[in-house]
Amino acid sequence: MLKLYKELEDKWFAISEKLRYLMVGGFNTVAAYVIFTALYFLLRQVFGVVLLYGLTLIMQNVISINISIFTMRWFVFHSRGNLWKEYKRAARVYTAMGILNYVWLLASHWLFDMRAPIAQLIFLVFSTIATYILHKYFSFRKF
């Protein structure tokens, strides 16, 4: 069993970092979008628009940030650095992206009358690119 795992791991890490990022980031993005959309539709009956966006984003971020940090750390950057330090740096990246996300959701709603799931999809394209750059050169950089 260990031999099979090692063979799969060797094949996985033979794939370029950028392609691994796209695959893992794609998984994380889809997971985050599904979590956000499910929470949005689940909670929209109870809360007002502004509170709904904020509450939905907070709940989605708590779940998806942890998934993303660990999948990016291991499956993309294959980091063996200090887990706690990398976790804190990656959490800062995701927190900053979460704040930008919240501002974008409010602006897209109030300025463009855009529905949240569509606005979220647009933001995810931007954040996928920005997050790769920030993780590569900040969160999981090799010293």
Side-chain angles (χ1 to χ4, degrees):
M1 187 71 157
L2 190 58
K3 183 179 177 184
L4 175 61
Y5 174 79
K6 181 66 175 145
E7 288 175 15
L8 290 173
E9 185 179 59
D10 290 344
K11 287 181 182 180
W12 175 255
F13 289 111
I15 299 170
S16 77
E17 181 182 274
K18 288 179 182 171
L19 186 55
R20 289 193 317 262
Y21 176 80
L22 289 175
M23 290 188 288
V24 173
F27 168 80
N28 290 339
T29 299
V30 168
Y33 185 70
V34 167
I35 292 166
F36 175 85
T37 303
L39 289 170
Y40 173 80
F41 286 116
L42 185 68
L43 298 173
R44 77 177 177 174
Q45 299 299 326
V46 180
F47 301 102
V49 172
V50 172
L51 182 58
L52 174 63
Y53 289 172
L55 182 61
T56 303
L57 272 175
I58 290 167
M59 293 172 72
Q60 177 257 314
N61 276 308
V62 166
I63 297 166
S64 63
I65 283 174
N66 285 289
I67 293 168
S68 295
I69 288 172
F70 290 106
T71 57
M72 288 292 167
R73 182 178 192 271
W74 179 254
F75 292 109
V76 175
F77 299 102
H78 203 221
S79 178
R80 297 177 194 271
N82 183 291
L83 174 62
W84 182 240
K85 287 180 182 178
E86 289 181 348
Y87 183 91
K88 289 190 300 185
R89 286 193 303 255
R92 283 187 214 127
V93 167
Y94 287 122
T95 299
M97 295 307 288
I99 291 167
L100 289 173
N101 193 170
Y102 184 67
V103 170
W104 165 249
L105 283 175
L106 289 177
S108 66
H109 174 74
W110 296 110
L111 298 175
F112 309 118
D113 197 29
M114 192 180 299
R115 296 190 131 267
I118 301 300
Q120 186 66 7
L121 191 58
I122 293 167
F123 185 82
L124 287 174
V125 172
F126 159 76
S127 68
T128 299
I129 296 165
T131 302
Y132 173 76
I133 294 166
L134 290 167
H135 280 332
K136 182 166 181 68
Y137 298 105
F138 177 68
S139 303
F140 306 112
R141 69 182 184 261
K142 293 181 175 47
F143 293 97

